[in-house]
Amino acid sequence: MATIRQDDFIQSIADALQYISYYHPKDFIDAAHEAWEREKSPAAKDALAQILINSRMCAEGRRPICQDTGIVTVILKIGMNVRWDAEMSVEDMVNEGVRRAYNLPDNKLRASILADPAGERKNTGDNTPAVIHMSLVPGDTVDVQVAAKGGGSEAKTKFAMLNPSDSIVDWVLEQVPKMGAGWCPPGILGIGIGGTADKAMLMAKEACMESIDIHELKARGPRNTAEELRLELFDKVNELGIGAQGLGGLTTVLDIKIRDYPTHAANKPVAMIPNCAATRHAHFVLDGSGVADLPAPKLEDWPQVAREGGGDVKRVNLDEVTTEEARSWKPGDTLLVSGTLLTGRDAAHKRMTDMLSRGEELPVDLKGKFIYYVGPVDPVRDEPVGPAGPTTATRMDKFTDQMLAETGLMGMIGKAERGPEAVAAIRKHGAVYLIAVGGAAYLVSKAIRKARVVAFEDLGMEAIHEFEVEDMPVTVAVDSRGESVHETGPREWQARIKGIPVTEA
């Protein structure tokens, strides 16, 4: 009979969350590298290179892979013979582990969790509480799965109560294009089939934590219906041509993971949850012998990948760029931007547009400026700022027309596509929208030389910062005429992909 000590359990949770903040699972590294080697789309290949370079940098520097260090999910299978040497409840111990991890001074993680979600939405300050699932199982150990799920990919979750005769393949192929690029592909699609709505959702989340093994499955062949479905979906989703970061390319998913459960004769519940390019999960078992052992991977596990240079890269000084120059940029152009950037995301945009509507002066001058949609991690040691990758831009779409019309803003930098409302506003005002690579937050932060909060300090990570950047890599996503690379890229590669092997090196 194992006795699990309170501090061992808490520290194991904390250690696991720190571990996954800067170490990609090796299966992800291998799969992303294989996708990079095979990729034919220059834009997608560059995005994959940035993800892999960022991953190695994070492993070396022990800093977060993504600025969105996630909402914590913990799945516990507690042996019925386990005894606890603890005064706290299991839930409280998990949350204390989260608290320790996210406030660790050497690698402070971003607090993203808001209490009162339908009201004040006030940050809890330490990323608690976690989402916890517990079950009692035979045995005398505690099996622990820990994940930190970014909000951008979680927002793309899909669920349907299909009719028994409906095709799951057809439903998935209908939903994936609707997800856009906000979930930071390439990644994994976790799918739960059966049970009830809540059971299907939990199975989809658990499936996201499984190892990537689609090529092994392809080599040995399927043994059941779920494996047949995995193989069919893997090929057909990649044939959509969405590609890395939605730029068009050969690899949209690195694997399809499926879990199923018996369901009612009248139902076919199906849940789909994407796991992004910053996939973060760990699995360990506590047997009473102490804190979980989480061995550091070898740096040799990371491939030496370099971005492929090109003569068409344009250097841009944001403090001197003219409207005419910005309007000359075309979708897909690669820029290295330097100069001054202002940041702002959901809460800051809501506050600014409310001020504009009341006729109040904004605390920052946006005329001729670019705004970066980001909520950075706090800096440690001599960093000017922590990892600072882009957030999903579509959440700012409803603010875009007013911001462009009333502030003189020249352009925006974010992640993934813009919706029709924002594209129309960009076209109307002759503005531009640029993207940075989601899942390359530490790499992006190395281009930020200075950072300071200039407005709305009370919003925490959502405050407005002023960044001084040097050679920050971005891609033109929507030009001043409203042409979007997220429309042209996937359309081109869906057509081209028919003649290219998608799943073979």
Side-chain angles (χ1 to χ4, degrees):
M1 181 178 293
T3 299
I4 309 297
R5 292 180 292 275
Q6 177 172 295
D7 199 62
D8 289 347
F9 183 76
I10 293 171
Q11 195 59 48
S12 296
I13 296 290
D15 289 350
L17 289 168
Q18 277 286 315
Y19 184 95
I20 64 177
S21 77
Y22 44 73
Y23 288 145
H24 264 130
K26 187 177 185 302
D27 57 272
F28 176 89
I29 299 164
D30 292 343
H33 184 220
E34 189 271 337
W36 174 80
E37 290 184 314
R38 193 182 63 250
E39 187 56 67
K40 306 297 182 184
S41 162
K45 193 176 185 74
D46 183 65
L48 282 162
Q50 290 192 51
I51 289 167
L52 286 164
I53 293 166
N54 180 76
S55 180
R56 186 183 179 95
M57 288 172 61
C58 294
E60 292 174 331
R62 295 199 172 191
R63 291 295 274 143
I65 295 165
C66 180
Q67 81 289 337
D68 183 352
T69 49
I71 183 169
V72 176
T73 297
V74 178
I75 299 174
L76 302 171
K77 295 179 181 177
I78 301 172
M80 290 187 287
N81 295 328
V82 165
R83 298 188 67 175
W84 293 92
D85 180 7
E87 297 178 356
M88 301 168 69
S89 71
V90 173
E91 290 94 335
D92 287 345
M93 286 189 285
V94 168
N95 286 322
E96 179 57 28
V98 174
R99 195 171 290 114
R100 285 188 192 180
Y102 279 72
N103 286 324
L104 186 71
D106 283 346
N107 184 37
K108 189 173 173 64
L109 306 179
R110 197 184 81 180
S112 303
I113 304 307
L114 308 181
D116 190 16
E120 292 186 4
R121 295 179 65 83
K122 185 175 180 180
N123 200 302
T124 63
D126 56 15
N127 225 57
T128 64
V131 176
I132 305 167
H133 302 278
M134 290 187 286
S135 58
L136 284 174
V137 298
D140 55 3
T141 61
V142 178
D143 183 283
V144 185
Q145 288 183 291
V146 176
K149 191 72 159 52
S153 60
E154 191 73 0
K156 302 302 181 179
T157 296
K158 302 293 182 181
F159 174 80
M161 190 65 78
L162 300 181
N163 291 319
S165 61
D166 290 343
S167 166
I168 293 172
V169 171
D170 289 349
W171 179 79
V172 170
L173 295 178
E174 178 186 358
Q175 299 306 314
V176 170
K178 294 178 182 178
M179 287 160 50
W183 63 281
C184 287
I188 298 162
L189 292 183
I191 299 175
I193 304 169
T196 54
D198 54 322
K199 178 66 174 178
M201 282 290 188
L202 178 57
M203 289 190 294
K205 182 61 66 69
E206 289 176 315
C208 286
M209 300 182 198
E210 295 179 6
S211 295
I212 297 171
D213 65 352
I214 194 73
H215 292 297
E216 290 88 338
L217 173 58
K218 198 173 187 69
R220 71 163 167 82
R223 295 171 179 163
N224 53 48
T225 303
E227 291 184 346
E228 291 173 357
L229 191 56
R230 283 180 62 195
L231 292 172
E232 182 178 3
L233 284 171
F234 179 71
D235 285 344
K236 289 184 175 179
V237 170
N238 281 324
E239 286 167 3
L240 293 172
I242 294 167
Q245 303 293 300
L247 295 169
L250 302 184
T251 302
T252 302
V253 290
L254 301 173
D255 204 343
I256 303 283
K257 311 300 291 192
I258 295 176
R259 291 196 175 193
D260 59 19
Y261 194 83
T263 192
H264 191 283
N267 303 144
K268 190 192 279 186
V270 184
M272 180 167 64
I273 302 179
N275 218 1
C276 65
T279 183
R280 292 170 294 217
H281 57 86
H283 178 215
F284 59 88
V285 177
L286 298 178
D287 60 6
S289 61
V291 176
D293 181 27
L294 298 166
K298 300 175 182 177
L299 284 178
E300 303 91 83
D301 291 341
W302 277 264
Q304 292 286 355
V305 171
R307 298 181 64 199
E308 297 179 3
D312 56 350
V313 175
K314 302 175 183 179
R315 279 189 158 81
V316 175
N317 186 328
L318 295 174
D319 298 323
E320 299 176 0
V321 64
T322 64
T323 300
E324 291 72 23
E325 181 183 355
R327 289 180 177 177
S328 73
W329 300 338
K330 301 291 191 298
D333 284 354
T334 299
L335 311 179
L336 292 174
V337 298
S338 300
T340 306
L341 267 181
L342 293 170
T343 76
R345 42 179 287 158
D346 311 62
H349 274 75
K350 177 66 166 62
R351 191 172 289 185
M352 285 191 289
T353 51
D354 285 348
M355 291 176 71
L356 290 171
S357 297
R358 295 193 297 265
E360 298 173 8
E361 185 176 349
L362 296 182
V364 291
D365 183 6
L366 295 174
K367 186 174 182 179
K369 298 291 186 182
F370 280 72
I371 196 163
Y372 181 28
Y373 302 150
V374 61
V377 177
D378 288 344
V380 299
R381 297 179 288 278
D382 60 348
E383 292 178 342
V385 71
T391 197
T392 305
T394 49
R395 299 199 311 274
M396 270 54 73
D397 282 3
K398 64 183 178 181
F399 306 116
T400 299
D401 186 62
Q402 185 177 9
M403 292 291 290
L404 293 175
E406 299 184 30
T407 69
L409 186 69
M410 186 181 294
M412 301 143 284
I413 302 174
K415 180 185 78 176
E417 71 285 343
R418 304 306 298 265
E421 179 184 12
V423 171
I426 290 168
R427 184 189 307 112
K428 173 182 174 184
H429 298 287
V432 291
Y433 168 61
L434 317 175
I435 57 169
V437 172
Y442 195 37
L443 175 64
V444 171
S445 74
K446 293 302 182 183
I448 302 169
R449 306 306 186 192
K450 294 182 181 179
R452 65 188 181 103
V453 175
V454 293
F456 306 155
E457 187 172 4
D458 62 297
L459 295 180
M461 63 93 175
E462 295 203 68
I464 296 178
H465 297 69
E466 181 186 81
F467 288 167
E468 289 185 25
V469 302
E470 182 178 340
D471 286 349
M472 176 177 166
V474 295
T475 300
V476 179
V478 181
D479 68 8
S480 61
R481 292 166 291 280
E483 184 177 342
S484 171
V485 73
H486 289 104
E487 294 180 2
T488 59
R491 186 165 59 240
E492 174 192 349
W493 282 91
Q494 186 174 21
R496 293 180 63 176
I497 213 165
K498 294 176 182 177
I500 301 173
V502 178
T503 60
E504 297 178 7

